[in-house]
Amino acid sequence: MKTTILFLAGLFILNFLPSCVSSVEKEEPSEKKIQELISKMTLDEKLGQMSQFDPFQFGNEENMKQAVRDGKVGSILNLVGAKKTNEIQKIAVEESRLGIPVIIGRDVIHGYRTIMPIPLGMAASWNSELTKKAMAVAAEEAASEGIHWTFAPMIDISRDPRWGRIAESCGEDTYLTSVMAEAMVKGFQGDDLSNPKTIAACAKHYVGYGAAEGGRDYNTTNIPEVLLRNDYLPPFKAAKDAGVATFMSAFNDLNGVPTSGNEFTLKQILRNEWGFNGMVVSDWSSITEMIQHGYAADKKEAALKALKAGVDMEMASNSYVENVQVLLDEGKIDRTTIDRYVANILRIKFELGLFDHPFTPEDAAEKTILSEKNMAVAKEAASESFVLLQNKNEILPLSKDISSVAVIGPLADAPHDQMGTWVFDGKKENSVTPLTALKQKLGPEKVHFAKGLEISRTKSTEGFSEAIKAAQKSDAVLLFLGEEAILSGEAHCLANLNLQGAQNELLDVIAATGKPVVLVVMAGRQLTIGSALEKAHAVLYAWAPGTMGGPAIADMLFGDTAPSGKLPVTFLKTVGQIPLYYNHTNTGRPATYGQWTDINKIPAEAVQHSLGNTSHYLDAGFEPLFPFGFGLTYTTFNYSELQLSSKTMGIDGSIMVSVTLQNTGRREASEVVQLYIRDRAGSVTRPVKQLKGFKKVSLKPGEKQKIDIPLNAKDLSFYNGTAYVVEPGDFDVWMGTSSASGLHGEFSIN
Ligand code: NOJ
């Protein structure tokens, strides 16, 4: 048996204490001012700071202004435009008794006006620098419109594509999501929150929200502590370490305790273990929803439970305002707790510089919104998010000398839908669609356009004949299928992941023309597109690519850029395979096809026995349609010479894992070199593979490069039910092009 090395205490010292200490040191001057302010505040003013409302909740503008004047509002969400926000801020700082500025929040999820790809697409870029740049653009545009705080990034691990909010996530993997979490936080917040071009970020939804039962939004989650700590919490820890200013408690019931009243996650883990001293905001009415959950009898009990767990600010509902006085009178909470929460809220207002610079220059927006620079970032982000899934006979890239193309499908010219879900401020008139971009690139006379279907859900085949004609008179067909923006996002979950409406039928009739078909799928999630692979020659998965999606697609189809995205989620053959993710733990009878490889070949009245059985479906096997990390490009890469700097490492040591990568094709392109490990045996079972590092590199034809990825013992630690441990033992390591292929090596920890 292995010896388990307990290092819980060590891990706290290593990981948790330094960030806590340094932020306290940094903030000392404002701490004094915070305490001075608190000493002057009435309870009503304190509760005002702890309340956030949407303008519509006040009934009319005058009521909102009066509430701000009376010190009853600490934060407003969804007020936009420098003129409007300045007007409210002026009342807060000049007419309220203590002159405390309000903090304005907004869901700036993947862009403000210049819309970037949906987060799932950004994650498919596997490019953290680019992600950071994209979020910095979003921050600058939002800040120019008076917004101080975004409710992003959403870093919920999402392993169920039925869940509509998978679009807003970074996918199924803990490591990739953690890397993206850090990049997004740093992008939004920059190095200095008081810089007028940055905004505060919010790590959400804390925690486990993406594990909703059945993929139905808001649903119950049951996540054992080992899984919670190893898979769901690390992205939040990464956001905390990156300096995220705020956290949002979630809607979901986690193991019987709703996350907005969960002392274990909010108090023990976030505050005590991680030392987070920023602000926690509830989700919209998630405190009072604990009544519906059956965890609180009434608003008073809901307020008490959220306060005890440590939710500083209540979004949209008013259980704090209504109940804190009586909870204090009854001795159920104490004043120092309330003061601590108010301090957390004031601290971020100081950090944002709102006391010194409360207003937004009214000419700021025109300098940044939709600027050439921002549009260029949006195009680059879209381009890097695309994943090439299939390219039979190297049909892509197409030659620009092609005499004509048919552009077909409900998403070829859908400026609204290409922006994707969670877009409040993007405008469809700013989107450049594939149709527009292709006409620009090739000349309008070379493009024969026919929608075929009005929208993605259209069932009528009326438009097919025109689409067939367009295909027949062209050399190739570019077919844009997928799903509209409204089919993913909050509460927009699906039980069926096939192409909606008559899209499969459209593909059938177009394929029947015999013309080469390039299928571009735009969607907020991985759809079950297995049957389309047989009919289309090439398939490019473009997610919802945002404002500049069209030009990015046109460039890629005609070879001005090469695909470099890799899947951040496992693609399924059928919805019945859910959950299917690469980093699962094993069964005692690991999946193989066993006796029956084809359900249709099982003889009638075949004898059923229990020998040689394994974990798989008779009708869908166990393999995905495409594995996590998969993605092709216009060249080929060869991996060779896997090397480990040492075959052993100490429990606090590290090794370098290297591989030689060569571009063996004819075009320059990028590859994401991925490093996976497997801990062969542990004190709790370990996943069959885990991503632990990656590097995106661009190579010219023939070019060779040695790729080094460090592996620290610390990266191999896990929570085993009692403590975070690094356990001595044997490990597999792979370096390769996806989670399903790679050169293999071995090492051990001793
Ligand atoms: C509810 C959503 O769950 C959350 O993500 C969002 O930030 C808030 N509404 C505010 O719009």
Side-chain angles (χ1 to χ4, degrees):
M1 218 184 99
K2 284 180 180 181
T3 339
T4 298
I5 310 293
L6 296 182
F7 80 121
L8 187 57
L11 202 85
F12 284 149
I13 291 162
L14 272 171
N15 284 339
F16 306 133
L17 232 55
S19 47
C20 174
V21 170
S22 63
S23 52
V24 168
E25 278 166 5
K26 208 174 69 199
E27 285 156 11
E28 256 172 17
S30 51
E31 286 308 315
K32 199 160 160 262
K33 292 187 199 151
I34 289 169
Q35 293 314 323
E36 273 168 23
L37 260 180
I38 290 177
S39 69
K40 292 184 199 149
M41 291 169 88
T42 64
L43 180 64
D44 280 352
E45 284 164 338
K46 290 176 187 172
L47 295 175
Q49 288 305 308
M50 293 167 72
S51 302
Q52 181 186 58
F53 297 107
D54 187 291
F56 84 82
Q57 295 183 282
F58 296 99
N60 61 46
E61 211 179 294
E62 259 329 296
N63 292 349
M64 172 165 71
K65 288 181 177 166
Q66 194 54 44
V68 171
R69 198 171 286 123
D70 292 343
K72 289 184 172 157
V73 185
S75 174
I76 296 179
L77 77 159
N78 299 334
L79 186 71
V80 287
K83 204 162 179 294
K84 281 194 202 160
T85 54
N86 284 343
E87 199 184 342
I88 289 297
Q89 196 67 296
K90 199 164 163 26
I91 295 173
V93 298
E94 290 177 9
E95 298 177 38
S96 76
R97 196 177 73 89
L98 293 171
I100 300 174
V102 289
I103 174 170
I104 310 281
R106 180 79 159 166
D107 290 284
V108 181
I109 306 299
H110 52 109
Y112 179 75
R113 182 71 56 74
T114 307
I115 302 300
M116 306 293 161
I118 50 168
L120 193 59
M122 278 299 343
S125 75
W126 294 55
N127 187 335
S128 55
E129 272 311 305
L130 179 58
T131 303
K132 190 170 148 190
K133 215 159 70 171
M135 296 309 114
V137 166
E140 185 175 347
E141 289 195 354
S144 77
E145 291 259 81
I147 293 158
H148 311 127
W149 177 23
T150 176
F151 306 123
M154 187 191 107
I155 46 180
D156 297 308
I157 294 300
S158 309
R159 293 175 174 169
D160 190 336
R162 293 172 299 182
W163 189 51
R165 295 195 88 167
I166 194 168
E168 211 189 323
S169 81
C170 298
E172 74 189 35
D173 185 62
T174 303
Y175 179 81
L176 180 60
T177 303
S178 301
V179 170
M180 289 293 156
E182 179 185 343
M184 292 195 221
V185 169
K186 291 190 169 158
F188 285 126
Q189 297 194 165
D191 299 329
D192 177 6
L193 270 184
S194 69
N195 177 333
K197 293 182 175 175
T198 64
I199 57 178
C202 180
K204 75 184 189 186
H205 305 84
Y206 190 74
V207 56
Y209 180 50
E213 264 184 12
R216 294 184 301 279
D217 209 359
Y218 315 126
N219 235 290
T220 303
T221 61
N222 279 298
I223 311 175
E225 190 181 341
V226 164
L227 192 62
L228 186 73
R229 286 187 181 268
N230 289 331
D231 289 26
Y232 289 85
L233 284 168
F236 288 93
K237 177 64 168 50
K240 189 262 158 191
D241 289 345
V244 75
T246 70
F247 270 64
M248 184 185 289
S249 66
F251 286 128
N252 55 300
D253 169 354
L254 173 66
N255 303 329
V257 180
T259 41
S260 287
N262 197 311
E263 289 192 45
F264 173 61
T265 54
L266 286 167
K267 199 165 163 181
Q268 180 175 320
I269 295 178
L270 182 61
R271 299 289 188 189
N272 298 346
E273 293 183 21
W274 296 357
F276 177 67
N277 70 350
M279 185 223 292
V280 176
V281 64
S282 76
D283 202 339
W284 184 284
S285 294
S286 65
I287 296 180
T288 50
E289 285 180 15
M290 291 198 286
I291 302 168
Q292 280 80 3
H293 276 295
Y295 187 62
D298 50 26
K299 275 180 159 183
K300 184 176 150 196
E301 196 181 3
L304 178 62
K305 289 192 163 168
L307 286 167
K308 285 184 110 171
V311 179
D312 302 305
M313 182 182 278
E314 180 171 15
M315 183 193 288
S317 48
N318 49 10
S319 70
Y320 283 4
V321 173
E322 288 176 8
N323 296 290
V324 166
Q325 179 69 65
V326 42
L327 289 168
L328 284 168
D329 294 345
E330 290 173 2
K332 297 211 167 104
I333 45 165
D334 54 48
R335 282 179 189 276
T336 50
T337 305
I338 298 298
D339 288 354
R340 198 169 66 244
Y341 295 176
V342 175
N344 290 342
I345 294 160
L346 295 178
R347 188 174 304 121
I348 179 181
K349 295 187 178 185
F350 274 105
E351 284 173 355
L352 282 163
L354 295 181
F355 283 89
D356 295 331
H357 307 286
F359 304 114
T360 305
E362 287 186 17
D363 63 349
E366 76 201 31
K367 292 186 189 146
T368 178
I369 285 192
L370 298 168
S371 70
E372 216 173 290
K373 177 191 112 232
N374 296 359
M375 294 290 255
V377 174
K379 185 174 170 192
E380 193 186 349
S383 182
E384 292 216 18
S385 74
F386 302 154
V387 185
L388 181 65
L389 296 176
Q390 174 169 288
N391 195 15
K392 285 185 200 159
N393 306 326
E394 294 188 27
I395 183 184
L396 287 179
L398 297 168
S399 158
K400 282 179 212 150
D401 298 331
I402 196 162
S403 50
S404 65
V405 291
V407 174
I408 298 174
L411 288 154
D413 193 30
H416 170 80
D417 292 309
Q418 76 181 49
M419 291 191 290
T421 183
W422 268 119
V423 171
F424 284 167
D425 302 289
K427 293 197 187 333
K428 69 174 187 177
E429 52 270 31
N430 303 130
S431 291
V432 187
T433 68
L435 177 66
T436 305
L438 287 159
K439 281 185 178 165
Q440 270 164 13
K441 191 168 212 66
L442 304 173
E445 67 292 347
K446 283 189 170 186
V447 175
H448 303 131
F449 173 59
K451 255 188 170 180
L453 295 165
E454 194 47 39
I455 56 171
S456 71
R457 286 163 294 150
T458 303
K459 293 197 174 97
S460 159
T461 57
E462 250 173 13
F464 280 18
S465 56
E466 203 197 332
I468 293 168
K469 274 187 218 140
Q472 280 165 340
K473 61 181 175 197
S474 306
D475 287 352
V477 179
L478 308 178
L479 184 58
F480 292 83
L481 304 180
E483 56 180 18
E484 303 145 67
I486 195 69
L487 297 184
S488 64
E490 184 177 347
H492 287 67
C493 305
L494 292 171
N496 173 359
L497 299 179
N498 293 336
L499 289 167
Q500 297 280 336
Q503 294 188 89
N504 273 318
E505 290 79 353
L506 177 60
L507 173 56
D508 286 343
V509 297
I510 296 301
T513 63
K515 300 288 175 167
V517 177
V518 175
L519 173 62
V520 179
V521 183
M522 291 193 196
R525 52 163 70 78
Q526 66 271 47
L527 295 172
T528 43
I529 51 162
S531 63
L533 300 176
E534 290 152 29
K535 296 163 206 154
H537 294 81
V539 180
L540 185 71
Y541 217 84
W543 317 103
T547 306
M548 289 297 280
I553 289 172
D555 279 0
M556 194 163 286
L557 296 180
F558 286 89
D560 291 329
T561 54
S564 66
K566 298 277 185 173
L567 297 178
V569 282
T570 299
F571 269 49
L572 312 163
K573 290 180 187 160
T574 167
V575 74
Q577 288 181 301
I578 295 170
L580 191 69
Y581 51 95
Y582 85 95
N583 47 356
H584 58 88
T585 47
N586 224 346
T587 71
R589 297 177 177 196
T592 60
Y593 283 100
Q595 190 178 6
W596 312 117
T597 51
D598 180 348
I599 191 170
N600 299 311
K601 296 201 174 123
I602 303 176
E605 298 190 0
V607 178
Q608 191 164 359
H609 58 75
S610 64
L611 292 178
N613 291 333
T614 71
S615 174
H616 70 281
Y617 295 105
L618 289 175
D619 56 349
F622 60 90
E623 288 167 309
L625 187 65
F626 293 106
F628 174 85
F630 178 82
L632 305 169
T633 185
Y634 295 158
T635 191
T636 45
F637 287 104
N638 183 56
Y639 283 76
S640 63
E641 297 169 78
L642 180 88
Q643 286 170 6
L644 278 62
S645 61
S646 167
K647 287 272 184 191
T648 56
M649 70 167 126
I651 53 150
D652 52 3
S654 67
I655 58 170
M656 188 64 81
V657 188
S658 318
V659 81
T660 301
L661 181 74
Q662 184 171 20
N663 182 341
T664 47
R666 292 188 305 272
R667 285 175 179 271
E668 180 170 358
S670 295
E671 165 72 333
V672 180
V673 177
Q674 302 163 42
L675 185 155
Y676 295 87
I677 63 106
R678 178 175 185 179
D679 182 353
R680 287 194 195 148
S683 52
V684 292
T685 55
R686 311 295 304 123
V688 294
K689 261 189 188 177
Q690 283 180 288
L691 182 70
K692 290 293 176 185
F694 62 85
K695 239 180 209 171
K696 190 165 188 174
V697 280
S698 172
L699 294 185
K700 296 196 165 45
E703 195 181 343
K704 233 187 207 186
Q705 210 180 90
K706 185 168 173 249
I707 311 294
D708 297 321
I709 301 186
L711 195 55
N712 297 311
K714 188 166 85 50
D715 303 333
L716 306 174
S717 74
F718 60 95
Y719 184 75
N720 72 354
T722 319
Y724 286 91
V725 294
V726 174
E727 291 183 339
D730 297 331
F731 290 75
D732 296 294
V733 60
W734 295 265
M735 236 151 105
T737 188
S738 82
S739 63
S741 90
L743 298 179
H744 175 249
E746 295 168 340
F747 68 93
S748 52
I749 292 189
N750 55 28

